[in-house]
Amino acid sequence: MEEAVLPVTNNGNGNGKNGGAAAWWRSWRVSSIWAEIDTKHVDIPLLATCFCAGLTDSTLYNAFSTFVSMQTGNTIFIALGASGQNSKPYGWVRSLTSLVCFILGSLFFSRIVNELGARRRFTLLLSYTLQGVFVVVAASLAQAGVIDGSVPQPPNPTGKPRWNELGPIALLSFQGAAQIVVSRGVGLNEVPTLVLTSLLCDLFSDPSLAAPLSANAKRNRRVVAFVLTLLGAIAGGWISKETGGIMCALWVVAAIKFVVAICWVWFPTL
């Protein structure tokens, strides 16, 4: 008895619809995921993370008097703690935690970049997905009441520091290091996404500062990076003021990170 043969719908390329979709998925999964991205417009997703840096730093500083991205301020806080002049009791511990976790994050994400390739689609997708996950965990700790995410922080009735605050500080500092690692890896040094001091120095020492808009792309990126960081910091201040907590701002940051991660999936490749 002969077996019945199911008809195959042709999609115009000699393959069935299902076969064509499967072949496309196999091709994308094997080759495109490891392809190197075209860096022509790589500044667009990186500039979005400048907004994230401003948003997280202003929000966390409002709550815990420490930064999680810009480590220059934390270094000064640690130094002031040596003479007992930090603004909060044991505030230098928060700043030291942020600094150490930022260093560890730099080591971790730079190893990923070096092993997998800085400009590979998979590397960027993995980096931003991990960043988003770390932010989600930090936001969840505050949302669930594991740590007090109030802004401003109410006095502790016991008079002792709330050491559980170190959790979100550590998570956010660790993931923040990935932003600058990525910008260095794709060769976009003019958009470090975190550091403003060197960015402003490079901007205003540029001999082509007054060049037409289309003639100086690096200057344009620096200006946009500064403005977005500033806007992120302003947004962080207003969000924490209106909501009375850090959670909402962190959920916004997590959403941006995941959107950027998804963008890498369809980003043009070489």
Side-chain angles (χ1 to χ4, degrees), residues 170-184:
L171 290 165
L172 295 171
S173 299
F174 188 89
Q175 65 83 33
Q179 292 188 190
I180 193 166
V181 168
V182 168
S183 71
R184 294 289 190 261

Side-chain angles (χ1 to χ4, degrees), residues 198-206 209 219 222-223 226:
S198 60
L199 183 149
L200 289 172
C201 176
D202 293 340
L203 173 62
F204 288 100
S205 61
D206 188 345
L209 179 62
R219 177 212 50 203
R222 290 183 181 118
V223 170
F226 174 79

